[in-house]
Amino acid sequence: MGKAELPLHAPGTQVDKGYIGESTPRPNAQRLLQGRGAFTDDLRFPRLAHVAFFRSPYAHARIRKLSLEKARAQPGVVGVFDGRAVAEYCKPWVAVLAHLKGIKSPAQHAIAIERACWQGEACAAVVAESRTQAEDAVQHIEAEWEELPVVVDMEESLSGKRVIHPDLGDNICFKREHDTGGVEEIFAKADVVVEDTFHFGRHTGVCVEGRAILADYNAAEHSLTVYHATQAPHMMQDIFSRHLNIPEGNVRVIAKDVGGSFGIKVHVYADEMATAALSIMLRRPVKFVADRLESFLSDIHAREHRARVRLACTKAGEILAFDLDDLTAIGPYSVYPRTSGIEGNQVVNLTGGPYKHQKYRARMHVVFTNKNVTCQYRAVGHPIAVALTEGIVDLAAQKIGIDPADFRRKNLISDDAYPYTFPSGIKFEKLSHHKALDLLLRITNYAGLRAEQSRLRQQKIYRGIGLAAMIEVTNPSPAFYGVGGARISAQDGATLRLEPTGMVTVMCSVTEQGQGTEGIFAQIAASAVGVSIDKVRVITGDTGVTPYGGGTWASRGAGIGGEAVLLAGRALRANMLDVAAKMLSLDKAELDVRDNHVINRLTGEAKLPLAELGRVAYFRPDTLPIDFQSELTVTRHYTPRQYGFTFTNGIQASLVEVDPDTGFVKLLKHWCVEDSGTVINPMLVDEQIRGGVVQGIGAALYEECLYGPDGQLLNGNMADYLVPMAGEMPDIVCAHIETPTLQSQLGAKGVGEAGTAGAPAAVMNAINDALAPLGARVTRMPFTPERILQALKKV
Amino acid sequence: MKAPSFAYAKPRTLAEAFELIERPGAKILAGGQSLIPTLNMRLSAPELLVDITGLAGLSNIEAKNGAVRIGALCTHAMVERSPEVREHLPLLAEAMPHIAHPAIRNRGTLGGSLALADPAAELPACAVALDAVLIIASRKGERRVRAVEFFKGLFETDLKQGEILVGAEFPKAEKSAFVELTRRHGDYAIVGLAAVTKQRERRISLFGFADRPVLIRPGSLEEAKGSLPKPAADLYHSSATKLHLAKVLLERAWNRL
Ligand SMILES: Cc1cc2nc3c(=O)[nH]c(=O)nc-3n(C[C@H](O)[C@H](O)[C@H](O)COP(=O)(O)OP(=O)(O)OC[C@H]3O[C@@H](n4cnc5c(N)ncnc54)[C@H](O)[C@@H]3O)c2cc1C
């Protein structure tokens, strides 16, 4: 069913699609551009105090002694606290989930007690009248340290020679094995077996706005209001409530404008918990905003995998089996409450994902190290799984001598095979790999690119074309976190209220991080109710106002929150027609709503402006029948449940030119064909893809958190940590297939992570395609000039 | 990332400025594009910042006697857009767009860049290649130092407390070439070279290579490649990689000299 057939109006009516599928500009863009955003750091409160943290200079050290007296005596200081003091107000946490069998992690405190386990872990907090004063005073904290052995390398961690948390017995946080059976036999007799080891650099999500929290404890009510740059206000409400011992109803979390999050702002951070605890301890508002140096040391990092993958296929190019061994390191703690086991788990779930083979074996270890913690960052596990899959698929194609596009066509799950269960156990509702591949080959002019490539090679210009097919987890059901015991909502809700003037207010539990969610909710609400978009106002990010829900993560906002808005909009329209029917003494079935009017459904004739309906419903209900009460505020919720995840699919292509003298890679162009179901706003979807591709390119070419052997972060600043910048980015061409999910009426799947999931693989394959005639190959991301020169044996 | 507190003064005359910068803990502030970040990162904590951007007469660009004199307070953007520079110092004209980004070029100054002596910066290397003369003023008067003698080491120059770099004279050259390699546009170079031919002599100055610009005066390309010292590694590039890249740049620039 294409979007044109979607039932976006009451059955049998001819009311049009409204704004669904249109590139409507997002209403909040102008406000942000005019500098009228309200980010957490913009808020001003009377008696606001500021916290700065004394952070461990060592990757692993016992805190023998902390002398806080000098710091306490500095100008403007309100208080200086160590881990023990804060722990009296904030319970520690252990980040494990029941469905990740055997996962273990030590208890983590808001402020480290006795021992620091990574460079940058907060070991004391200074609260002062200004941030400058707090930072000044931090310099007066004196610590006596006893350095402990440091584990930075993940292979070394796995070997268990030195155990970071002796109570846990070893350094293994989590391991998983999966086996369909029959893998060994297939590899033993397959015509072709290829194997390679891929390395993925540890990197991080760099948000324009750093992490920010302003906690305001009110002793009179024993209530806590937290202004928080977060993706998940309700999750944080629950956590503040349980760990700070305040009744849930007394905790309100407000996420005003948020300047990017990418998964960075969906976790529990020790320094943020400490800030909330300090507000309770001091009975005044306390603010913490991570500066850029702190962000690099304490925002979650991600990736850092070493994976060996093998593929077996026939001479004719039929893939038979995948065999995977993944190792990933997560720092000293699993991150609360989602755990740091998910990324590795996703790699196991997704590797080989687009293809038809039936045999699959995987082994995966998640180990502790003395580096900053890692957790879910945009596309969680996908960039790894896609690069492993597509890297080894290209190697197989090369070995057999088949064009990579043809090899994929032979092996992609066919478009009529759904519903389909993949050998890792995950289920696909409906994907469109072949349509996507065909479209990609058309928009890239693939044959033309190949011809140009061979022509240029004769002039010693080395271009490469890389493809990356992928599947992606979106719209997760409670199977993601809830079943494991995490108090993270997989359902979301929307409340729609008709205002007396005929305007519509939308309150939704999915949040806005800058991605335009509020814009698409306005589009859906306007279309579902029958009003013009200028009549819609959207409120998100306030646990005191919106229905309960999960928030923004795992590409779920449009598919889940959007469906809730749609259902609420339909219900509101029906309730409005009830009022209109009474007012007009007509049968409700004869009426509909369009262009801010109640109309005659058959003739389209305008019967009643909504402003008049609102006036009567709210101010003159005395004119309505005595047994009738209007209900012009409606709430609906939605949870995807039929499938664990609503998978999407897509395919990307990258065109690069490698300079074999310098090892430099020039990105010439990038394409992405994506099937994210119903496209609600093409402009926003394309920009999500482009932004995601850029982050994926960052992983492929630029971004890596470099650590020294002593566990010191070597490049934790914007000069040395290279984020991708506009000047180097290629044009990114987006195209879409629309296969709506039939689980919802809106039909939208997620799209926010697709670009990031596929781009590293596409760029890697393009580079290796360019290097192939030179006999070189790279498998260690990011592909720096030095790594490419080494592969070329030039250095 | 808040700077520790400091006093601030903005003198209007050189005489006032000299008096201020002689005070203990004083530091000159020009465009602030390098100094302010080091303050915010608490890598340095001067007691007094002496903002020299209000001094008159230090923002001129003037061509005379076979050289172009550029005032220390000329911003990178002014140098980039200067017709005198484009006509007489094509090397500088070619180099300027490689310095940082437009917003930074609008504030960063020639004097600040030379005085900072970042080993990966473009301007010190250009000054060495062109055999520029740096003009230094203090209460005692003016002195002139050749670029090769001015750059003493990593962020180290011949400047002494109480002195202000007021400008530099860049002699014209017949031919020039500027090339550098950066991962991203606007980054400091991994390695780069500024090269000129003067009276048939090739003067090639490498940056991003050692603790200061390295000047070589080779007769042939082979000699050039052979005469390179062992470069210092950086975060992303080993010494061997830098050496290789420097040789590639030499090959690319050679035919233009
Ligand atoms: C993101 C970013 C990227 C950059 N990239 C590059 C790049 O690619 N290449 C490059 O060359 N530079 C780069 N820079 C630095 C920039 O060019 C600076 O402007 C320049 O190095 C210093 O000039 P300034 O006027 O800002 O000096 P300031 O920051 O004000 O001062 C720098 C130092 O010089 C001293 N000083 C300044 N003027 C004088 C004077 N007249 N006499 C004596 N001492 C003086 C100061 O006391 C201080 O120690 C970059 C900067 C940033 C922020």
Side-chain angles (χ1 to χ4, degrees):
Chain A
M1 189 161 60
K3 91 170 179 270
E5 294 104 43
L6 274 181
L8 275 174
H9 41 79
T13 68
Q14 292 302 312
V15 178
D16 61 22
K17 302 259 96 14
Y19 297 92
I20 310 291
E22 278 186 22
S23 291
T24 313
R26 40 201 284 211
N28 59 9
Q30 196 159 61
R31 180 171 58 80
L32 294 172
L33 282 173
Q34 291 196 8
R36 298 308 303 262
F39 296 88
T40 300
D41 197 26
D42 295 327
L43 305 178
R44 297 286 178 273
F45 279 70
R47 298 177 66 246
L48 179 62
H50 302 257
V51 58
F53 294 96
F54 172 73
R55 295 180 181 277
S56 171
Y58 296 108
H60 198 191
R62 197 171 309 290
I63 309 169
R64 279 247 199 78
K65 192 168 162 228
L66 270 182
S67 309
L68 308 177
E69 286 319 311
K70 268 199 210 149
R72 287 197 174 111
Q74 297 305 308
V77 170
V78 176
V80 184
F81 304 94
D82 65 7
R84 276 199 185 79
V86 174
E88 294 199 13
Y89 291 81
C90 182
K91 282 200 270 292
W93 52 87
V94 178
V96 295
L97 287 172
H99 65 312
L100 303 179
K101 298 233 162 16
I103 187 169
K104 59 184 192 270
S105 183
Q108 187 181 2
H109 284 275
I111 303 273
I113 298 177
E114 283 177 8
R115 187 169 67 121
C117 292
W118 84 88
Q119 179 221 358
E121 184 170 10
C123 299
V126 176
V127 184
E129 300 293 344
S130 75
R131 170 80 185 221
T132 312
Q133 288 172 324
E135 286 188 21
D136 284 343
V138 164
Q139 298 194 310
H140 293 274
I141 292 180
E142 285 162 13
E144 264 177 46
W145 300 97
E146 176 193 335
E147 283 189 69
L148 298 170
V150 170
V151 180
V152 291
D153 178 72
M154 54 185 170
E155 305 275 0
E156 191 205 319
S157 173
L158 184 62
S159 79
K161 264 186 280 181
R162 279 183 285 215
V163 176
I164 296 174
H165 307 293
D167 293 350
L168 297 182
D170 58 27
N171 289 328
I172 299 170
C173 167
F174 176 53
K175 61 182 171 192
R176 180 176 163 199
E177 287 189 7
H178 179 84
D179 195 349
T180 56
V183 171
E184 226 23 86
E185 295 82 325
I186 289 208
F187 275 93
K189 38 177 224 256
D191 301 338
V192 179
V193 171
V194 283
E195 173 179 336
D196 213 338
T197 299
F198 297 83
H199 301 264
F200 300 85
R202 168 186 268 257
H203 55 102
T204 184
V206 180
C207 306
V208 173
E209 178 208 25
R211 288 188 293 111
I213 181 169
L214 190 164
D216 186 10
Y217 177 68
N218 182 331
E221 296 175 332
H222 186 44
S223 70
L224 182 72
T225 305
V226 184
Y227 301 84
H228 198 186
T230 179
Q231 301 171 231
H234 282 104
M235 180 192 91
M236 290 310 301
Q237 176 194 36
D238 172 72
I239 282 168
F240 290 130
S241 163
R242 285 188 294 115
H243 289 272
L244 302 170
N245 203 18
I246 298 176
E248 182 181 55
N250 291 6
V251 178
R252 180 172 173 192
V253 177
I254 301 173
K256 297 201 153 226
D257 287 312
V258 177
S261 49
F262 315 114
I264 302 302
K265 295 172 183 164
V266 77
H267 310 295
V268 169
Y269 288 92
D271 48 20
E272 296 178 11
M273 293 304 285
T275 305
L278 289 164
S279 173
I280 299 171
M281 294 162 75
L282 296 165
R283 301 184 167 216
R284 59 190 281 185
V286 179
K287 183 168 81 173
F288 168 65
V289 178
D291 69 30
R292 197 52 76 183
L293 302 180
E294 288 180 300
S295 293
F296 278 109
L297 287 172
S298 62
D299 287 10
I300 58 117
H301 294 176
R303 323 300 189 225
E304 194 174 13
H305 289 244
R306 180 281 290 145
R308 209 181 58 239
V309 62
R310 293 199 299 157
L311 179 156
C313 64
T314 65
K315 273 199 296 276
E318 184 196 348
I319 301 176
L320 302 172
F322 275 79
D323 185 14
L324 167 73
D325 181 0
D326 183 30
L327 174 61
T328 176
I330 56 157
Y333 295 101
S334 169
V335 173
Y336 196 55
R338 288 163 196 260
T339 83
S340 306
I342 297 287
E343 177 153 284
N345 204 47
Q346 296 272 63
V347 174
V348 172
N349 282 341
L350 303 172
T351 297
Y355 300 107
K356 283 189 293 203
H357 59 283
Q358 290 299 311
K359 302 294 177 197
Y360 178 43
R361 180 172 66 182
R363 197 165 76 120
M364 187 270 302
H365 286 92
V366 177
V367 296
F368 296 114
T369 47
N370 292 114
K371 299 184 192 174
N372 183 15
V373 292
T374 76
C375 201
Q376 282 76 294
Y377 160 55
R378 195 175 195 173
V380 195
H382 293 74
I384 314 293
V386 178
L388 295 173
T389 305
E390 295 300 278
I392 204 71
V393 159
D394 261 16
L395 194 61
Q398 191 187 33
K399 189 154 177 191
I400 307 174
I402 306 187
D403 179 89
D406 294 337
F407 189 60
R408 283 175 175 79
R409 180 172 293 108
K410 265 185 206 302
N411 288 289
L412 288 166
I413 299 168
S414 50
D415 289 356
D416 58 5
Y418 300 94
Y420 187 94
T421 302
F422 182 72
S424 74
I426 53 178
K427 295 187 173 58
F428 307 135
E429 179 194 2
K430 181 135 178 64
L431 302 178
S432 58
H433 287 300
H434 288 266
K435 274 195 215 150
L437 174 64
D438 291 344
L439 181 54
L440 182 84
L441 298 186
R442 202 161 70 235
I443 63 173
T444 52
N445 181 16
Y446 185 74
L449 284 183
R450 286 282 175 213
E452 183 186 41
Q453 177 186 38
S454 44
R455 204 166 54 242
L456 289 171
R457 265 183 197 169
Q458 282 150 23
Q459 302 164 33
K460 299 215 175 332
I461 292 172
Y462 296 93
R463 288 205 175 165
I465 302 151
L467 303 181
M470 58 180 200
I471 54 166
E472 197 210 327
V473 166
T474 79
N475 298 2
S477 76
F480 212 6
Y481 293 112
V483 297
R487 298 171 67 82
I488 296 172
S489 172
Q491 65 89 58
D492 275 88
T495 296
L496 264 64
R497 179 172 70 221
L498 183 76
E499 307 292 349
T501 54
M503 296 186 72
V504 174
T505 302
V506 178
M507 288 158 276
C508 185
S509 54
V510 168
T511 54
E512 170 71 77
Q513 319 287 306
Q515 78 277 43
T517 305
E518 290 179 351
I520 61 156
F521 291 166
Q523 285 178 262
I524 297 167
S527 311
V529 177
V531 298
S532 54
I533 199 157
D534 59 300
K535 301 283 186 206
V536 182
R537 297 291 176 272
V538 181
I539 298 171
T540 63
D542 186 341
T543 59
V545 172
T546 72
Y548 201 91
T552 298
W553 39 276
S555 296
R556 65 189 297 285
I560 300 177
E563 179 72 1
V565 172
L566 178 71
L567 297 177
R570 293 252 176 84
L572 178 59
R573 182 200 291 239
N575 290 3
M576 285 156 55
L577 292 179
D578 284 334
V579 179
K582 298 293 182 210
M583 286 172 66
L584 299 167
S585 299
L586 287 169
D587 188 354
K588 181 181 174 186
E590 290 173 36
L591 301 173
D592 204 346
V593 183
R594 186 165 68 199
D595 293 341
N596 310 311
H597 284 78
V598 175
I599 58 161
N600 179 304
R601 163 170 298 178
L602 292 176
T603 63
E605 179 200 350
K607 289 289 202 190
L608 182 67
L610 293 183
E612 178 59 10
L613 188 155
R615 185 188 68 83
V616 170
Y618 288 112
F619 308 126
R620 294 302 309 275
D622 57 307
T623 64
L624 296 171
I626 191 84
D627 58 351
F628 177 80
Q629 172 60 49
S630 62
E631 289 294 349
L632 298 178
T633 298
V634 177
T635 300
R636 289 293 181 273
H637 293 86
Y638 175 66
T639 320
R641 259 176 298 200
Q642 282 131 286
Y643 288 85
F645 307 100
T646 304
F647 272 91
T648 63
N649 65 281
I651 184 163
Q652 298 189 21
S654 162
L655 177 67
V656 306
E657 191 170 301
V658 177
D659 179 340
D661 294 330
T662 60
F664 273 52
V665 175
K666 187 164 184 199
L667 301 160
L668 298 174
K669 202 155 179 171
H670 200 100
W671 297 263
C672 178
V673 175
E674 176 67 12
D675 186 345
S676 53
T678 305
V679 172
I680 301 162
N681 184 319
M683 178 170 64
L684 284 175
V685 165
D686 285 358
E687 292 315 318
Q688 280 295 307
I689 289 183
R690 291 197 178 98
V693 164
V694 167
Q695 267 173 323
I697 287 172
L701 294 183
Y702 300 106
E703 297 184 57
E704 183 167 18
C705 299
L706 300 170
Y707 278 85
D710 50 0
Q712 296 286 320
L713 180 62
L714 302 175
N715 60 343
N717 61 68
M718 293 296 278
D720 295 325
Y721 180 91
L722 307 183
V723 293
M725 289 175 70
E728 283 65 48
M729 290 306 106
D731 276 352
I732 300 165
V733 179
C734 304
H736 304 277
I737 310 278
E738 287 187 65
T739 310
T741 170
L742 299 182
Q743 299 171 76
S744 71
Q745 304 203 24
L746 184 60
K749 304 174 183 176
V751 76
E753 300 171 284
T756 311
V763 172
M764 175 177 76
N765 284 350
I767 293 172
N768 284 329
D769 187 44
L771 292 175
L774 301 166
R777 175 172 169 80
V778 285
T779 53
R780 186 183 287 271
M781 289 186 200
F783 304 114
T784 64
E786 176 156 295
R787 286 173 180 168
I788 291 173
L789 288 172
Q790 282 163 346
L792 286 162
K793 307 208 162 47
K794 300 246 167 126
V795 297
Chain B
M1 273 222 286
K2 304 285 180 199
S5 62
F6 52 80
Y8 171 89
K10 190 168 183 180
R12 250 170 299 161
T13 65
L14 269 174
E16 266 173 43
F18 294 140
E19 193 273 316
L20 287 161
I21 61 173
E22 281 169 5
R23 296 189 188 175
K27 195 147 184 77
I28 294 172
L29 173 70
Q33 298 302 291
S34 299
L35 182 54
I36 298 295
T38 66
L39 297 189
N40 287 343
M41 291 162 91
R42 296 195 177 225
L43 296 173
S44 85
E47 281 159 44
L48 168 65
L49 289 190
V50 182
D51 181 347
I52 60 169
T53 56
L55 298 180
L58 301 185
S59 349
N60 300 328
I61 300 179
E62 221 183 336
K64 65 173 182 208
N65 308 333
V68 180
R69 182 177 167 142
I70 305 180
L73 289 179
C74 287
T75 61
H76 302 325
M78 287 162 70
V79 178
E80 184 181 2
R81 288 196 283 260
S82 154
E84 289 85 2
V85 169
R86 200 165 316 133
E87 185 182 342
H88 303 295
L89 300 173
L91 178 71
L92 272 196
E94 199 181 345
M96 296 318 288
H98 292 276
I99 301 178
H101 308 276
I104 293 158
R105 294 203 290 274
N106 283 339
R107 290 201 150 250
T109 63
L110 178 99
S113 188
L114 295 173
L116 183 69
D118 188 305
E122 290 80 1
L123 282 171
C126 291
V128 166
L130 285 163
D131 201 10
V133 174
L134 279 63
I135 304 152
I136 296 165
S138 71
R139 199 200 285 277
K140 289 181 223 140
E142 245 183 40
R143 65 186 182 99
R144 297 162 64 87
V145 186
R146 287 178 61 202
V148 268
E149 281 137 30
F150 180 79
F151 299 105
K152 297 251 184 237
L154 192 64
F155 299 107
E156 236 184 273
T157 68
D158 193 42
L159 281 169
K160 295 171 189 68
Q161 181 83 24
E163 290 186 327
I164 300 177
L165 180 66
V166 291
E169 273 172 21
F170 296 88
K172 297 179 195 173
E174 293 101 64
K175 288 185 187 167
S176 65
F178 183 92
V179 273
E180 71 170 46
L181 290 170
T182 56
R183 299 273 295 281
R184 303 173 305 176
H185 192 91
D187 283 351
Y188 277 104
I190 302 166
V191 57
L193 67 80
V196 298
T197 306
K198 277 173 87 164
Q199 286 131 27
R200 301 246 211 81
E201 183 193 47
R202 294 186 185 84
R203 294 173 59 88
I204 302 177
S205 166
L206 290 129
F207 56 103
F209 201 75
D211 63 351
R212 71 196 92 165
V214 172
L215 180 68
I216 55 172
R217 283 174 281 186
S220 70
L221 178 57
E222 283 320 301
E223 189 193 326
K225 290 205 243 172
S227 65
L228 295 177
K230 189 170 176 299
D234 65 28
L235 264 178
Y236 293 97
H237 309 90
S238 67
S239 176
T241 297
K242 283 207 172 195
L243 188 62
H244 167 82
L245 292 175
K247 289 178 183 171
V248 171
L249 292 188
L250 280 172
E251 283 167 11
R252 290 185 180 175
W254 190 259
N255 287 337
R256 292 175 53 195
L257 296 173

